[in-house]
Amino acid sequence: MTTIGIGTQTSEQALDSLSDMTEALSPIHPEEHLARIAKAQAYMQANNIAAIYLNAGTNLTYFTGMQWYASERMVGAILPAVGEVQYIAPYFEIGSLNDFKVIDGPIHGWQEHQSPYCLFVEVLKQLNIKDIATIGIDESAQFFIFDGINKAQNGLNLINAKEVTAHCRMHKSANEIALMQAAMNMTLAVHQATASMLYAGISTTEVEAFIKQAHQKVGAPGNYFCIVLFGVATSFPHGVKDPQILKQGDMVLIDTGCKVHNYLSDITRTYVFGEPTSWQRKFWDIEKSAQLAAFNAAQIGTPCEAVDEAARGYLASHGLGPEYQTPGCPHRTGHGIGLDIHEWPYLVGGNKTPLATGMCFSNEPMLVVPDEFGIRLEDHFYMTDQGPRWFTEPSASIDNPFGLQN
């Protein structure tokens, strides 16, 4: 990436520097969805789980490829431990769902005056699943769906389907990693273009609008999310209610991402507009080293909590914290990412899940100095057989936030 200085271009020049980065990309193929189903079914058979319910949303998309939105109506699928997927939807949506269907399976319809939960139980009976069977319910399903199924069933053991969904989704395939790599590359280019068009007097609202245009320019529909903060507002990890106006010497924190074929990016850059003070420089360097400490701790077989401990321990060695106290890091070091911006596993104290090939994480042990500023350097990495690998290279320095590290 060619490094362009902060505040060196107009917004028009910055947009002109971007181009579509998605031409060679393709979505996940049906064969991969079938492999995911097979993996889930093998796990269910080994653990005596008769079926799981996949609600409209990312779990339904992950296993079946069907993209549908969660609403007040039950739309989803039963994935049995043996046999094909069984979809459940309102009758009037069946035509649309057939159009969105990637993996074959019958669609069982319910009319508006009928109970989809009774239909759910009836489909289980058609699959010869006994009343005493263990059934997983999508962890992201609204409570009314669980409540409806629970009231309609008699003797089923209802559990959290996360046991199955997380088992599959936390290990990314080469295709998933390639899509996330493309999304990360796109968002990093957007970050650099955004930094180049900053000027004293610009508002956070104007910057957010530019980032949306920039993501569209590189080939994304727009921002999946966008946080832009200046000055003291940067000390609030997820922002404040009112927009700010950029001034010389302000800390700038921008956290944004986009979607590429449903897979997400999520990158944060923090730097100073103008010349950093020695105080800002000191804390920025500590944040950078804490991020590197977390990365170095991420080795195959190491528990997730050890990565968080490495970052937090480094901060504590500089008198910050301890634990979640500020000045210091007020939140976990990282989260998983994929179809959801935050998914399993998490780099946080108490999580003993061992790191394994294919896991993907944010690395963002944010440093907050209350009432002054916050510094979050967020890049993601994925686990290989040889250890962690960055999706995007971390910032080189506070003066060169987009240069590659030596």
Side-chain angles (χ1 to χ4, degrees):
M1 178 183 292
T2 302
T3 300
I4 302 172
I6 298 171
T8 58
Q9 299 190 109
T10 65
S11 59
E12 291 78 10
Q13 290 171 326
L15 282 176
D16 286 344
S17 71
L18 301 171
S19 60
D20 193 324
M21 301 170 67
T22 64
E23 291 180 357
L25 302 175
S26 59
I28 299 298
H29 297 298
E31 293 77 15
E32 186 160 337
H33 290 295
L34 290 172
R36 294 169 178 179
I37 288 172
K39 180 177 180 179
Q41 290 181 321
Y43 183 88
M44 286 189 280
Q45 292 167 25
N47 291 276
N48 297 314
I49 300 171
I52 59 173
Y53 169 68
L54 305 170
N55 197 46
T58 54
N59 277 327
L60 183 66
T61 299
Y62 180 83
F63 289 103
T64 74
M66 181 178 287
Q67 296 182 50
W68 202 258
Y69 54 92
S71 71
E72 79 281 7
R73 295 181 174 93
M74 183 179 181
V75 177
I78 296 172
L79 176 57
V82 178
E84 64 181 348
V85 173
Q86 310 284 317
Y87 298 95
I88 293 179
Y91 266 111
F92 74 89
E93 298 283 28
I94 289 178
S96 297
L97 264 70
N98 272 319
D99 198 37
F100 281 88
K101 189 187 289 184
V102 175
I103 300 301
D104 286 336
I107 301 179
H108 303 268
W110 54 277
Q111 298 287 10
E112 289 279 68
H113 67 289
Q114 296 175 323
S115 167
Y117 319 114
C118 291
L119 176 60
F120 177 90
V121 173
E122 178 58 33
V123 173
L124 293 181
K125 291 179 180 177
Q126 293 173 18
L127 295 171
N128 293 317
I129 294 176
K130 308 299 184 184
D131 286 343
I132 59 172
T134 295
I135 307 295
I137 305 299
D138 191 329
E139 67 278 11
S140 66
Q142 303 97 312
F143 176 76
F144 72 82
I145 291 178
F146 171 85
D147 188 52
I149 291 172
N150 193 40
K151 289 175 178 175
Q153 62 90 19
N154 182 25
L156 293 174
N157 176 30
L158 301 181
I159 66 169
N160 190 335
K162 175 187 171 185
E163 181 178 341
V164 180
T165 57
H167 169 75
C168 296
R169 288 181 56 178
M170 72 171 63
H171 303 281
K172 269 61 178 184
S173 68
N175 291 335
E176 291 179 285
I177 288 173
L179 289 173
M180 281 190 282
Q181 183 67 70
M184 298 289 185
N185 293 345
M186 291 159 63
T187 292
L188 188 58
V190 167
H191 263 291
Q192 182 170 335
T194 303
S196 77
M197 54 74 68
L198 297 179
Y199 59 88
I202 195 171
S203 69
T204 52
T205 304
E206 290 173 288
V207 177
E208 290 165 3
F210 173 86
I211 291 173
K212 180 177 181 179
Q213 287 182 286
H215 267 131
Q216 292 170 338
K217 190 76 185 293
V218 295
N223 307 327
Y224 179 74
F225 70 97
C226 186
I227 300 171
V228 179
L229 302 170
F230 300 152
V232 175
T234 62
S235 65
F236 296 83
H238 289 156
V240 295
K241 177 172 64 71
D242 297 320
Q244 307 99 55
I245 302 298
L246 185 61
K247 306 183 301 297
Q248 286 288 334
D250 272 350
M251 196 72 79
V252 175
L253 187 156
I254 298 177
D255 184 355
T256 188
C258 68
K259 276 189 175 184
V260 175
H261 294 304
N262 299 312
Y263 284 85
L264 286 154
S265 61
D266 177 13
I267 300 174
T268 307
R269 286 290 179 266
T270 308
Y271 42 86
V272 173
F273 182 73
E275 181 64 28
T277 65
S278 59
W279 186 246
Q280 291 168 326
R281 199 179 289 278
K282 170 188 173 181
F283 283 99
W284 195 99
D285 288 343
I286 292 173
E287 163 72 359
K288 174 181 165 63
S289 294
Q291 186 192 41
L292 184 59
F295 180 80
N296 289 337
Q299 301 298 324
I300 295 294
T302 298
C304 286
E305 65 179 358
V307 181
D308 182 78
E309 289 167 1
R312 218 166 290 283
Y314 179 83
L315 294 176
S317 73
H318 286 266
L320 300 169
E323 299 301 328
Y324 298 93
Q325 296 179 41
T326 57
C329 178
H331 57 61
R332 64 193 174 209
T333 292
H335 56 79
I337 190 171
L339 291 173
D340 288 312
I341 195 70
H342 291 175
E343 59 179 57
W344 326 272
Y346 294 93
L347 302 177
V348 66
N351 187 357
K352 301 187 184 303
T353 303
L355 298 181
T357 300
M359 291 182 175
C360 301
F361 300 95
S362 73
N363 184 349
E364 49 177 321
M366 182 179 186
L367 182 50
V368 171
V369 181
D371 301 319
E372 291 189 52
F373 53 77
I375 303 167
R376 181 162 67 242
L377 302 178
E378 178 186 12
D379 296 275
H380 288 62
F381 65 88
Y382 58 96
M383 297 303 298
T384 73
D385 292 341
Q386 292 74 43
R389 181 173 298 172
W390 292 112
F391 278 106
T392 51
E393 286 288 334
S395 295
S397 70
I398 194 170
D399 302 300
N400 186 16
F402 302 100
L404 299 181
Q405 298 209 79
N406 295 325

